[in-house]
Amino acid sequence: QVELVESGGGLVQSGGSLRLSCAASGRIFSSYAMGWFRQAPGKEREFVAAIWRNGRSTYYADTVKGRFAISRDIAKNTVYLQMNSLKPEDTAVYYCAADKAVAVVTTRPDYWGQGTQVTVSS
């Protein structure tokens, strides 16, 4: 079992930055690929970013590529999402996710956090 707790959400103006954190507990953190998803009101949950177990490979949705960066600190059992040049359309609840299968973490990961709200004002 893996428990995930997000933090760092909040209200920011368009063009601003936020860094989300996701603290993981339970099974060995380094055994899991990690991802971030988001869900805006009235929309389906969508993939944002993922990082592989070794931390050296990352993958991003086209909508955030070049603006967001995912990273992980294995010593702290934490994954981060640095969000820059935020836009109002980035407003959503952001969820941390984990899965042992790299191919699955971008689609239907097994473990989810409770989510953190990000609101970008225009």
Side-chain angles (χ1 to χ4, degrees), residues 65-107:
K65 200 173 295 183
R67 300 188 298 123
F68 290 12
I70 187 171
S71 61
R72 68 191 296 167
D73 186 333
I74 293 177
K76 294 183 178 180
N77 280 8
T78 301
V79 63
Y80 304 97
L81 185 67
Q82 178 66 44
M83 306 185 293
N84 300 324
S85 302
L86 282 162
K87 306 174 182 179
E89 50 263 44
D90 293 318
T91 295
V93 177
Y94 282 72
Y95 297 90
C96 179
D99 200 284
K100 279 198 169 184
V102 166
V104 174
V105 76
T106 61
T107 54

Side-chain angles (χ1 to χ4, degrees), residues 17-33:
S17 298
L18 278 177
R19 188 177 80 156
L20 305 183
S21 299
C22 173
S25 61
R27 297 295 180 92
I28 300 173
F29 178 65
S30 58
S31 298
Y32 287 80

Side-chain angles (χ1 to χ4, degrees), residues 33-55:
M34 303 295 295
W36 287 95
F37 289 71
R38 67 185 182 186
Q39 187 167 20
K43 295 187 177 181
E44 294 186 353
R45 190 174 299 187
E46 64 176 5
F47 167 76
V48 175
I51 187 166
W52 294 175
R53 289 189 292 267
N54 61 16

